[in-house]
PDB file of all heavy atoms in Angstrom:
ATOM      1  N   HIS E  95      -3.269  -4.849  10.289  1.00 97.00           N
ATOM      2  CA  HIS E  95      -2.770  -6.115   9.753  1.00 97.00           C
ATOM      3  C   HIS E  95      -3.519  -7.320  10.306  1.00 97.00           C
ATOM      4  O   HIS E  95      -3.769  -8.282   9.580  1.00 97.00           O
ATOM      5  CB  HIS E  95      -1.260  -6.207   9.964  1.00 97.00           C
ATOM      6  CG  HIS E  95      -0.534  -5.228   9.102  1.00 97.00           C
ATOM      7  ND1 HIS E  95      -0.235  -3.944   9.533  1.00 97.00           N
ATOM      8  CD2 HIS E  95      -0.096  -5.306   7.815  1.00 97.00           C
ATOM      9  CE1 HIS E  95       0.364  -3.297   8.548  1.00 97.00           C
ATOM     10  NE2 HIS E  95       0.470  -4.096   7.503  1.00 97.00           N
ATOM     11  N   ARG E  96      -3.905  -7.255  11.565  1.00 97.00           N
ATOM     12  CA  ARG E  96      -4.714  -8.355  12.106  1.00 97.00           C
ATOM     13  C   ARG E  96      -6.095  -8.367  11.449  1.00 97.00           C
ATOM     14  O   ARG E  96      -6.623  -9.425  11.112  1.00 97.00           O
ATOM     15  CB  ARG E  96      -4.853  -8.208  13.621  1.00 97.00           C
ATOM     16  CG  ARG E  96      -3.565  -8.484  14.361  1.00 97.00           C
ATOM     17  CD  ARG E  96      -3.593  -9.869  14.992  1.00 97.00           C
ATOM     18  NE  ARG E  96      -2.294 -10.298  15.428  1.00 97.00           N
ATOM     19  CZ  ARG E  96      -1.738 -10.013  16.604  1.00 97.00           C
ATOM     20  NH1 ARG E  96      -2.376  -9.250  17.463  1.00 97.00           N
ATOM     21  NH2 ARG E  96      -0.560 -10.490  16.900  1.00 97.00           N
ATOM     22  N   GLY E  97      -6.669  -7.194  11.247  1.00 97.00           N
ATOM     23  CA  GLY E  97      -7.972  -7.102  10.583  1.00 97.00           C
ATOM     24  C   GLY E  97      -7.921  -7.554   9.138  1.00 97.00           C
ATOM     25  O   GLY E  97      -8.926  -7.971   8.571  1.00 97.00           O
ATOM     26  N   MET E  98      -6.744  -7.487   8.540  1.00 96.00           N
ATOM     27  CA  MET E  98      -6.571  -7.914   7.150  1.00 96.00           C
ATOM     28  C   MET E  98      -6.207  -9.392   7.052  1.00 96.00           C
ATOM     29  O   MET E  98      -6.000  -9.908   5.964  1.00 96.00           O
ATOM     30  CB  MET E  98      -5.465  -7.075   6.499  1.00 96.00           C
ATOM     31  CG  MET E  98      -5.819  -5.598   6.417  1.00 96.00           C
ATOM     32  SD  MET E  98      -7.001  -5.231   5.142  1.00 96.00           S
ATOM     33  CE  MET E  98      -5.926  -5.247   3.739  1.00 96.00           C
ATOM     34  N   GLY E  99      -6.096 -10.066   8.199  1.00 95.00           N
ATOM     35  CA  GLY E  99      -5.900 -11.506   8.172  1.00 95.00           C
ATOM     36  C   GLY E  99      -4.562 -12.020   8.656  1.00 95.00           C
ATOM     37  O   GLY E  99      -4.329 -13.235   8.615  1.00 95.00           O
ATOM     38  N   SER E 100      -3.669 -11.143   9.120  1.00 96.00           N
ATOM     39  CA  SER E 100      -2.400 -11.646   9.627  1.00 96.00           C
ATOM     40  C   SER E 100      -2.643 -12.485  10.875  1.00 96.00           C
ATOM     41  O   SER E 100      -3.436 -12.126  11.735  1.00 96.00           O
ATOM     42  CB  SER E 100      -1.450 -10.502   9.980  1.00 96.00           C
ATOM     43  OG  SER E 100      -0.281 -11.035  10.563  1.00 96.00           O
ATOM     44  N   ASN E 101      -1.936 -13.590  10.941  1.00 93.00           N
ATOM     45  CA  ASN E 101      -2.069 -14.471  12.100  1.00 93.00           C
ATOM     46  C   ASN E 101      -0.753 -14.580  12.873  1.00 93.00           C
ATOM     47  O   ASN E 101      -0.555 -15.520  13.630  1.00 93.00           O
ATOM     48  CB  ASN E 101      -2.525 -15.861  11.645  1.00 93.00           C
ATOM     49  CG  ASN E 101      -1.574 -16.459  10.623  1.00 93.00           C
ATOM     50  OD1 ASN E 101      -0.583 -15.847  10.252  1.00 93.00           O
ATOM     51  ND2 ASN E 101      -1.889 -17.652  10.163  1.00 93.00           N
ATOM     52  N   LEU E 102       0.134 -13.612  12.657  1.00 94.00           N
ATOM     53  CA  LEU E 102       1.425 -13.641  13.345  1.00 94.00           C
ATOM     54  C   LEU E 102       1.248 -13.379  14.835  1.00 94.00           C
ATOM     55  O   LEU E 102       0.518 -12.477  15.229  1.00 94.00           O
ATOM     56  CB  LEU E 102       2.365 -12.577  12.782  1.00 94.00           C
ATOM     57  CG  LEU E 102       2.905 -12.788  11.380  1.00 94.00           C
ATOM     58  CD1 LEU E 102       3.795 -11.609  10.995  1.00 94.00           C
ATOM     59  CD2 LEU E 102       3.688 -14.084  11.292  1.00 94.00           C
ATOM     60  N   ASP E 103       1.935 -14.153  15.643  1.00 91.00           N
ATOM     61  CA  ASP E 103       2.016 -13.868  17.072  1.00 91.00           C
ATOM     62  C   ASP E 103       3.199 -12.933  17.254  1.00 91.00           C
ATOM     63  O   ASP E 103       4.326 -13.293  16.921  1.00 91.00           O
ATOM     64  CB  ASP E 103       2.258 -15.146  17.887  1.00 91.00           C
ATOM     65  CG  ASP E 103       1.021 -16.005  17.996  1.00 91.00           C
ATOM     66  OD1 ASP E 103      -0.090 -15.444  17.975  1.00 91.00           O
ATOM     67  OD2 ASP E 103       1.165 -17.237  18.089  1.00 91.00           O
ATOM     68  N   ILE E 104       2.928 -11.757  17.746  1.00 90.00           N
ATOM     69  CA  ILE E 104       4.015 -10.807  17.949  1.00 90.00           C
ATOM     70  C   ILE E 104       4.167 -10.524  19.430  1.00 90.00           C
ATOM     71  O   ILE E 104       3.203 -10.552  20.187  1.00 90.00           O
ATOM     72  CB  ILE E 104       3.783  -9.493  17.178  1.00 90.00           C
ATOM     73  CG1 ILE E 104       2.479  -8.829  17.608  1.00 90.00           C
ATOM     74  CG2 ILE E 104       3.813  -9.728  15.683  1.00 90.00           C
ATOM     75  CD1 ILE E 104       2.369  -7.396  17.223  1.00 90.00           C
ATOM     76  N   PHE E 105       5.384 -10.286  19.819  1.00 88.00           N
ATOM     77  CA  PHE E 105       5.696  -9.933  21.198  1.00 88.00           C
ATOM     78  C   PHE E 105       6.537  -8.675  21.152  1.00 88.00           C
ATOM     79  O   PHE E 105       7.653  -8.695  20.637  1.00 88.00           O
ATOM     80  CB  PHE E 105       6.450 -11.083  21.890  1.00 88.00           C
ATOM     81  CG  PHE E 105       5.662 -12.351  21.901  1.00 88.00           C
ATOM     82  CD1 PHE E 105       5.851 -13.306  20.903  1.00 88.00           C
ATOM     83  CD2 PHE E 105       4.708 -12.580  22.886  1.00 88.00           C
ATOM     84  CE1 PHE E 105       5.099 -14.474  20.895  1.00 88.00           C
ATOM     85  CE2 PHE E 105       3.965 -13.743  22.877  1.00 88.00           C
ATOM     86  CZ  PHE E 105       4.158 -14.688  21.890  1.00 88.00           C
ATOM     87  N   LEU E 106       5.975  -7.607  21.666  1.00 88.00           N
ATOM     88  CA  LEU E 106       6.681  -6.331  21.645  1.00 88.00           C
ATOM     89  C   LEU E 106       7.690  -6.278  22.785  1.00 88.00           C
ATOM     90  O   LEU E 106       7.434  -6.807  23.864  1.00 88.00           O
ATOM     91  CB  LEU E 106       5.682  -5.185  21.775  1.00 88.00           C
ATOM     92  CG  LEU E 106       4.653  -5.090  20.649  1.00 88.00           C
ATOM     93  CD1 LEU E 106       3.613  -4.030  20.969  1.00 88.00           C
ATOM     94  CD2 LEU E 106       5.346  -4.777  19.324  1.00 88.00           C
ATOM     95  N   PRO E 107       8.798  -5.611  22.556  1.00 87.00           N
ATOM     96  CA  PRO E 107       9.787  -5.471  23.631  1.00 87.00           C
ATOM     97  C   PRO E 107       9.162  -4.735  24.824  1.00 87.00           C
ATOM     98  O   PRO E 107       8.300  -3.875  24.649  1.00 87.00           O
ATOM     99  CB  PRO E 107      10.895  -4.620  22.998  1.00 87.00           C
ATOM    100  CG  PRO E 107      10.592  -4.515  21.552  1.00 87.00           C
ATOM    101  CD  PRO E 107       9.197  -4.940  21.329  1.00 87.00           C
ATOM    102  N   SER E 108       9.602  -5.077  26.009  1.00 91.00           N
ATOM    103  CA  SER E 108       9.031  -4.456  27.212  1.00 91.00           C
ATOM    104  C   SER E 108       9.336  -2.968  27.281  1.00 91.00           C
ATOM    105  O   SER E 108       8.608  -2.215  27.927  1.00 91.00           O
ATOM    106  CB  SER E 108       9.550  -5.153  28.473  1.00 91.00           C
ATOM    107  OG  SER E 108      10.962  -5.050  28.525  1.00 91.00           O
ATOM    108  N   ASP E 109      10.375  -2.523  26.586  1.00 91.00           N
ATOM    109  CA  ASP E 109      10.725  -1.108  26.623  1.00 91.00           C
ATOM    110  C   ASP E 109      10.195  -0.323  25.421  1.00 91.00           C
ATOM    111  O   ASP E 109      10.640   0.795  25.164  1.00 91.00           O
ATOM    112  CB  ASP E 109      12.245  -0.943  26.719  1.00 91.00           C
ATOM    113  CG  ASP E 109      12.967  -1.498  25.495  1.00 91.00           C
ATOM    114  OD1 ASP E 109      12.364  -2.280  24.721  1.00 91.00           O
ATOM    115  OD2 ASP E 109      14.158  -1.154  25.315  1.00 91.00           O
ATOM    116  N   VAL E 110       9.217  -0.896  24.700  1.00 94.00           N
ATOM    117  CA  VAL E 110       8.675  -0.205  23.530  1.00 94.00           C
ATOM    118  C   VAL E 110       8.013   1.106  23.973  1.00 94.00           C
ATOM    119  O   VAL E 110       7.358   1.175  25.014  1.00 94.00           O
ATOM    120  CB  VAL E 110       7.683  -1.103  22.751  1.00 94.00           C
ATOM    121  CG1 VAL E 110       6.396  -1.351  23.533  1.00 94.00           C
ATOM    122  CG2 VAL E 110       7.346  -0.487  21.401  1.00 94.00           C
ATOM    123  N   LEU E 111       8.232   2.139  23.198  1.00 95.00           N
ATOM    124  CA  LEU E 111       7.650   3.447  23.480  1.00 95.00           C
ATOM    125  C   LEU E 111       6.163   3.414  23.143  1.00 95.00           C
ATOM    126  O   LEU E 111       5.785   3.112  22.006  1.00 95.00           O
ATOM    127  CB  LEU E 111       8.355   4.525  22.649  1.00 95.00           C
ATOM    128  CG  LEU E 111       7.819   5.946  22.804  1.00 95.00           C
ATOM    129  CD1 LEU E 111       8.045   6.454  24.233  1.00 95.00           C
ATOM    130  CD2 LEU E 111       8.480   6.868  21.789  1.00 95.00           C
ATOM    131  N   LEU E 112       5.337   3.721  24.125  1.00 95.00           N
ATOM    132  CA  LEU E 112       3.894   3.790  23.911  1.00 95.00           C
ATOM    133  C   LEU E 112       3.420   5.213  24.158  1.00 95.00           C
ATOM    134  O   LEU E 112       3.987   5.933  24.986  1.00 95.00           O
ATOM    135  CB  LEU E 112       3.165   2.822  24.850  1.00 95.00           C
ATOM    136  CG  LEU E 112       3.419   1.341  24.595  1.00 95.00           C
ATOM    137  CD1 LEU E 112       2.734   0.497  25.658  1.00 95.00           C
ATOM    138  CD2 LEU E 112       2.941   0.941  23.207  1.00 95.00           C
ATOM    139  N   PRO E 113       2.377   5.632  23.464  1.00 97.00           N
ATOM    140  CA  PRO E 113       1.858   6.987  23.662  1.00 97.00           C
ATOM    141  C   PRO E 113       1.308   7.183  25.074  1.00 97.00           C
ATOM    142  O   PRO E 113       0.837   6.236  25.709  1.00 97.00           O
ATOM    143  CB  PRO E 113       0.726   7.093  22.638  1.00 97.00           C
ATOM    144  CG  PRO E 113       0.936   5.972  21.693  1.00 97.00           C
ATOM    145  CD  PRO E 113       1.656   4.906  22.423  1.00 97.00           C
TER     146      PRO E 113
END
Side-chain angles (χ1 to χ4, degrees):
H95 291 91
R96 289 257 166 86
M98 296 285 281
S100 175
N101 57 0
L102 290 179
D103 285 330
I104 59 163
F105 301 95
L106 298 173
S108 60
D109 63 343
V110 69
L111 178 65
L112 294 175

